[in-house]
Amino acid sequence: MLKKGVPTALPFFYPIEMKSIIIAIDGHSACGKSTLARDLARELGYAYIDTGAMYRAVTLYFLENGVDWTDPVAVKKALEDIQIEFRANGSGNQTLLNGKVVEQAIRQMQVSEQVSQVSAISAVRRAMVAQQQAMGRKRKVVLDGRDIGTVVFPDADLKIFLTASEDERVRRRFEELQAKGLSVSMAEVRKNLLDRDRIDSSREDSPLRQAEDARVLDNTHLNRAEQLALALAWVREVLEK
Ligand code: DC
């Protein structure tokens, strides 16, 4: 039996080792998935897998190596040459592409503008999904993306579909890019988010959609601690089941 009366905010005191769960977080671009996933992973002592970073790393490789992604043979060959890993870095993860840290490079607008096209390619998805399933096999993992609760781990113990208003998403992503010193206008950010949402939701292979058994978390009016407290309350429910 889990302890009652524990604060809903940090820290998370439950004997979490009693059950190993998989947490899937899906949602549109820039609604705060990675922040929530990272916070949950830290609180629970779980691994965090940023699946968007994997599609971004593939896109970066294609761009840097001039891979014609309309050519299935070139895509297949390139995928054989791509190795993606995550390295724990303080409170978060660093993405490595063939042994090189690409955490900053994969967030550039040039990559953001092409990633939805690259991630719509079935061969790319098959390769990434297989890696994600292997990484999550041991459970105790939080994954965020677009198809985690529907395709990668349809049996995930807790599925969260995160949402926020369009204006709020644009504002947050704009500030995030500015803080990183990347020069971009608010209009460019809005266009990129809307373009990606459209392509990600309408592609044939594993489109973004809310899993039937997902819990919706609208964080438009929630701060980081509040959204974490809500998600931790759901984790607690799952652990107590
Ligand atoms: O989470 P993100 O914005 O960094 O993801 C970048 C892109 O990768 C996103 O626009 C669509 C794609 N993606 C995907 O198709 N499936 C996932 N599970 C995660 C991301």
Side-chain angles (χ1 to χ4, degrees):
M1 202 36 204
L2 298 172
K3 284 188 261 166
K4 295 280 181 206
V6 173
T8 50
L10 313 182
F12 193 79
F13 292 123
Y14 286 132
I16 49 176
E17 66 279 6
M18 63 190 291
K19 209 170 175 184
S20 301
I21 64 169
I22 294 179
I23 302 174
I25 303 177
D26 289 302
H28 290 99
S29 296
C31 60
K33 296 184 296 296
S34 62
T35 301
L36 177 61
R38 218 178 296 120
D39 285 350
L40 277 173
R42 190 195 56 238
E43 287 307 305
L44 300 168
Y46 277 24
Y48 163 45
I49 300 171
D50 176 351
T51 66
M54 299 173 73
Y55 291 98
R56 286 173 178 273
V58 172
T59 305
L60 180 69
Y61 182 94
F62 283 7
L63 289 171
E64 283 183 342
N65 294 277
V67 176
D68 172 8
W69 59 75
T70 61
D71 173 3
V73 178
V75 168
K76 184 170 182 287
K77 158 92 183 58
L79 287 170
E80 283 164 9
D81 294 337
I82 293 176
Q83 210 204 338
I84 300 168
E85 295 158 279
F86 293 112
R87 185 194 288 160
N89 169 39
S91 60
N93 271 350
Q94 273 190 329
T95 310
L96 281 81
L97 170 61
N98 293 338
K100 198 174 128 212
V101 176
V102 290
E103 196 50 47
Q104 283 281 76
I106 59 172
R107 311 287 164 194
Q108 300 170 86
M109 274 312 260
Q110 204 198 353
V111 172
S112 298
E113 278 165 10
Q114 307 296 332
V115 65
S116 285
Q117 290 186 37
V118 170
S119 58
I121 301 168
S122 289
V124 171
R125 302 206 69 79
R126 271 199 304 277
M128 294 305 110
V129 169
Q131 264 198 47
Q132 291 153 16
Q133 289 172 334
M135 290 193 267
R137 208 183 46 234
K138 292 189 189 139
R139 310 181 83 82
K140 292 198 174 208
V141 74
V142 185
L143 301 100
D144 78 332
R146 305 293 188 289
D147 60 342
I148 309 303
T150 51
V151 175
V152 183
F153 285 110
D155 62 342
D157 306 270
L158 173 62
K159 298 180 186 178
I160 299 176
F161 193 83
L162 204 57
T163 63
S165 74
E166 181 186 313
D167 283 349
E168 188 59 22
R169 293 191 291 128
V170 171
R171 192 188 62 75
R172 289 180 193 159
R173 179 53 51 93
F174 176 71
E175 285 179 1
E176 191 184 313
L177 292 172
Q178 275 209 321
K180 283 185 182 154
L182 297 169
S183 132
V184 60
S185 72
M186 209 135 175
E188 278 176 288
V189 172
R190 187 179 300 271
K191 180 174 182 327
N192 177 252
L193 293 191
L194 296 183
D195 283 349
R196 283 203 286 138
D197 286 349
R198 182 176 41 78
I199 302 173
D200 297 344
S201 306
S202 62
R203 68 183 174 220
E204 236 167 76
D205 190 340
S206 340
L208 164 65
R209 61 180 176 78
Q210 186 187 322
E212 268 174 26
D213 50 349
R215 304 181 193 220
V216 178
L217 199 168
D218 182 342
N219 67 16
T220 307
H221 304 293
L222 298 182
N223 65 28
R224 187 171 171 175
E226 289 165 340
Q227 84 166 358
L228 176 60
L230 184 52
L232 281 173
W234 289 343
V235 169
R236 190 168 303 133
E237 266 178 44
V238 170
L239 292 176
E240 281 176 337
K241 248 203 271 169

